[in-house]
Amino acid sequence: MLVILGLFTSFLSILYLTAPSIRKFFAGGVCTTSVQIPGKVVVITGANTGIGKETARELARRGARVYIACRDVLKGESAASEIRADTKNSQVLVRKLDLSDTKSIRAFAEGFLAEEKKLHILINNAGVMLYPYSKTADGFETHLGVNHLGHFLLTYLLLGRLKESAPSRVVNLSSVAHLGGKIRFHDLQGDKRYCSGFAYCHSKLANVLFTRELAKRLQGTGVTAYVVHPGIVMSEIVRHSVVMCLLWRLFSPFFKSTRQGAQTSLHCALAEGLEPLSGKYFSDCKRTWVSPRARDKKTAERLWNVSCELLGIQWE
């Protein structure tokens, strides 16, 4: 037993000593465009931490007016202050947005539309993972409600401004976990059977299907949409699972940093000539393969209609 423990300790020591080289190997793609976006207006959900924060930092560095839309306003103000100091861009603003409450989403949209006449980039970045079974303020299963329905409603409410500001873009964050997802229309809220891991996978599949259908419906408007797998990133998203937190820490040398994880979001927000690929799925700053379920047109259309019904909106 002592020998095994010793070997394991040695393995961990080597792993962490070589962490910089390992992380560089797993870093993935890099957003290479040098485009600057002074005067452009950007909304990023969940940008008070993690990938969203690094995305906000880079877009602010390139001159954008950036709105950090998040539930924890104090944490958002701390992030905004740091970004303003780092980028010398004073136009980094924080607004309250709780994606688990449609009243909060509507209040955010109403306030933003009254404040801004333009919106060039919407990045639906926020999300929850491995959340214990619970319901949002509106009675939706939390993964579905926050990761899919919350962003679905937000995009709907801001779409008019995006169209007025065209060319404009919507970037939705999904995950390779969509491969394990399935849209279970007979039990969409997980009332009959629930597993937090699969609930996350289902919501990430919904993100891909939403993007596909959104792009189809936006053809000819000047608004394009893209869906992103950021990679396996050292972020706070696993905070609801003690086991996953331990695993994340143990295998951290193999994971991307939050800055590296932001690269594909930045690529889809900024890269020139990307319009023909609207609706496509990106990883490591390039278009990549999605599961057969993520390419199912009928499921995408049905999910769109069901989402509208659940939210009480009409979106043709």
Side-chain angles (χ1 to χ4, degrees), residues 72-124:
D72 189 334
V73 174
L74 288 178
K75 199 170 183 179
E77 290 291 357
S78 177
S81 179
E82 178 188 322
I83 293 169
R84 286 193 291 263
D86 184 32
T87 64
K88 306 299 185 291
N89 181 347
S90 62
Q91 298 299 298
V92 182
L93 310 169
V94 180
R95 297 294 181 267
K96 173 80 172 181
L97 172 66
D98 184 351
L99 288 162
S100 68
D101 186 345
T102 57
K103 289 183 180 178
S104 176
I105 298 169
R106 291 182 179 278
F108 167 82
E110 183 179 352
F112 176 83
L113 294 174
E115 190 172 1
E116 288 288 349
K117 300 304 178 187
K118 296 290 184 180
L119 176 57
H120 303 94
I121 303 171
L122 170 61
I123 301 181
N124 291 320

Side-chain angles (χ1 to χ4, degrees), residues 201-260:
C201 294
H202 301 333
S203 71
K204 294 293 100 180
L205 174 59
N207 294 150
V208 181
L209 291 167
F210 167 48
T211 307
R212 179 190 183 96
E213 187 66 13
L214 179 64
K216 185 182 79 173
R217 292 169 183 256
L218 289 177
Q219 288 179 2
T221 66
V223 184
T224 50
Y226 312 90
V227 62
V228 166
H229 166 53
I232 310 301
V233 179
M234 277 300 299
S235 71
E236 297 177 10
I237 196 167
V238 296
R239 63 188 178 276
H240 300 295
S241 169
V242 174
V243 173
M244 288 302 291
C245 284
L246 291 173
L247 288 173
W248 242 238
R249 186 171 295 277
L250 180 61
F251 292 101
S252 61
F254 298 99
F255 296 165
K256 293 182 179 182
S257 66
T258 50
R259 183 175 180 275
Q260 291 165 342

